[in-house]
């Protein structure tokens, strides 16, 4: 993000993929800890599996960095 001229405040959307509904109570507090004072649009999805079986979750983050900042 920094290499592209952005900051955590440029994050506009987070998509969280988890395997088990009960893992939400473990995952979301950690995400909140790392994104303090940043409130992007957020979607949480429960999926049946990932490409790599050892994965338990995946987070996809999108950011918009204005040309003025880069």
């Amino acid at each position: 993000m920094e290499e592209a001229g952005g900051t955590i405040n440029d994050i506009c959307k987070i998509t969280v993929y988890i395997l088990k509904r009960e893992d939400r109570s473990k995952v979301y507090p950690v995400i909140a800890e790392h994104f303090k004072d940043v409130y992007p649009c957020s979607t949480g999805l429960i999926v049946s599996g990932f490409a790599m079986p050892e994965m338990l979750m995946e987070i996809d983050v999108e950011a918009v960095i204005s040309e003025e900042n880069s």
Side-chain angles (χ1 to χ4, degrees), residues 8-14 38-42 61-64:
I8 195 166
N9 293 311
D10 294 310
I11 293 173
C12 58
K13 183 168 187 338
I14 298 174
V38 180
Y39 304 100
C41 175
S42 179
V61 177
E62 297 180 33
V64 176

Side-chain angles (χ1 to χ4, degrees), residues 1 7-16 27-40 42 59-63:
M1 183 80 97
T7 71
I8 195 166
N9 293 311
D10 294 310
I11 293 173
C12 58
K13 183 168 187 338
I14 298 174
T15 305
V16 179
V27 170
Y28 283 97
V30 175
I31 292 171
E33 183 180 317
H34 289 280
F35 290 90
K36 279 188 176 162
D37 300 322
V38 180
Y39 304 100
S42 179
I59 300 176
D60 183 28
V61 177
E62 297 180 33

